[in-house]
Structure formats: structure tokens, C-alpha cells
Amino acid sequence: MPEGPSILILKEEVQQFAGQTIMEVSGNSSIDIHRLKAKKIVAFKTWGKHFLICFEDFTVKIHMLMFGTYRVNEQKETKPRLHLQFATGEINFYTCSIKILEGDVNQYYDWSEDVLNENWNPKKAKQSLDKIPDEMICDAILDQNIFSGVGNIIKNEVLYRCFIHPESLVGKIPSEKITEIISECSLYSFEFLYWKKKFELKKHWLSYTKNSCLRCNLPMIRKYTGKKKRRSFFCTNCQQLHI
DNA sequence: AGTCATGTTGACGA
DNA sequence: CTCGTCAACATGAC
């Protein structure tokens, strides 16, 4: 479910309820969900992997984590964490993290950090990377305050495209390569979005879960890399290690 | 059937 | 206090 593009698809699917008033609320969320009843949804927003339901004075923040799912105008067998009933349909969220953000949502988020946002600012990402020269690039790409919305699949695909070894140190990677990585984080996210909508995402993976390198046919290395210890798939022949 | 994963937070101890 | 490690959450693909 996760990664920014999937959350953007969710936003598009529920857009039919924007501006509508919530008729009924239920669910096993620990937040005070009854607060939502009879309230009007001002807007749906996303910031990376955060799905935001904005009301006049507060915002409901939903994070799908690893296993979160949702249904629009449908229900699953299990009890939803949050069920929103509208005059014309319903939204159901399952196994996700739900929190309330008080006040103006803009005070919580820098939209220019979101690789899928119209205000995405690659220059800001460059400045942020310049501050962490000793970090591995595999960790830096997953930093949500630099590349909000980028997840482990996108990380692997971007590094493969850019010929960069995931354990390379940010400060040792040539500047023009850093610029290319930043650019690809946003570009690939939009391609991910496009393919995901067509249900053909996996078909386009070049490195993620692959056993051999499609460029040189040597075996792909499969390793938990960096502080974050997330799976990396890479070719030591094609992806240069900068240390 | 058991293992593992597109993720994040918070508790705990060194 | 800070850093690193790990448990917790909980579903579905293979």
C-alpha cells in the first residue's frame, strides 16, 4: 500500500467526497472519532505517505504504515479503523495509524519536501543532502524530510537508474550525480504513479527483487543497507560505490 | 506453513 | 542525554 504515489491515488479516489459533510463515523481508532461527525471536509491533501483529511480547525492524519488498506464505497470483512459515511458513499480505512493535527495543517508540513507536490523543490533537497555528507545515500533517500513520499522500491529503482551503489556516502558522490538522484526521485515517483494506476507497476521494476542485473547479467546483491537496514538490490559492477 | 515485507514510533539500555 | 537496537503494530504474498 505505502509509498507516496499510492497515497496520491487514494486522494484521487476520495475526491468525490471533498466538500461533503460526514453523516456517520465509526471505527476502532483510538482518536476521538465522533469529533468528525457532521463536520465538513474542507480538502483532502497528501504529504508524502501522509493522507490528510482537512477540516476547518483540525486535520486527520492517516498513515498506512506497511499493511494499511482502504476501500471506497466498499467494505472488507474486518472492522475498519475508521469508517466515514457520506450522503453519496463511504470510505473505510483498515490497519492504519490515525492522529489528529490541531489547527492549520500548513504549520505541520513543508510541501516543498514532497516529491509529488507541485511545490516540490529539488534545490532544497540538495541543501539538505549537503548537510549530511557522512550518511549513506540509501538512508538519505528514505529520509521523509528530504524526499517525502519516497519508499524502498523507489529508492532501489532510482539508485539503479543512476548507477549509484546504495552504500555510497552522500558527500563523496559527484555533485552532478546528486542532482540526477534528486531529479529521479521525483521523476520515478510520477512514473510509479502512472504504472500503478495501470496495475503494471511490478512489470517495470529494474532492480527491486531482481536476481540478476539486466544490464550485465551478473547477480544482483541483496543486502540490508545503512542505518535504516532496508533491503537494497544492486549490481556492484554497474553501480559505483563512492566512499 | 513459515517467512518476509512498499513503514514508523516509542521504549529501553548502554 | 544521546545513540543504537528492537519490539510493536498487523496483513497478505509467496
Side-chain angles (χ1 to χ4, degrees), chain A residues 188-238:
Chain A
Y188 188 86
S189 293
F190 279 105
E191 290 180 49
F192 184 119
L193 173 65
Y194 174 75
W195 291 324
K196 175 111 186 162
K197 283 180 180 174
K198 299 204 322 181
F199 304 102
E200 58 178 42
L201 179 62
K202 292 185 185 184
K203 193 173 91 179
H204 297 276
W205 288 347
L206 302 183
S207 66
Y208 189 70
T209 72
K210 297 297 177 188
N211 291 315
S212 59
C213 175
L214 65 86
R215 293 181 180 130
C216 74
N217 213 33
L218 286 173
M220 290 289 271
I221 305 299
R222 190 179 284 237
K223 182 181 178 185
Y224 292 92
T225 60
K227 287 181 187 169
K228 292 190 160 72
K229 294 185 166 43
R230 301 296 301 279
R231 293 200 299 176
S232 287
F233 301 83
F234 55 96
C235 172
T236 53
N237 181 48
C238 296

Side-chain angles (χ1 to χ4, degrees), chain A residues 158-174:
Chain A
V158 165
L159 289 173
Y160 187 75
R161 278 187 170 190
C162 296
F163 299 85
I164 296 294
H165 191 297
E167 293 178 313
S168 296
L169 301 180
V170 171
K172 303 291 185 186
I173 299 173

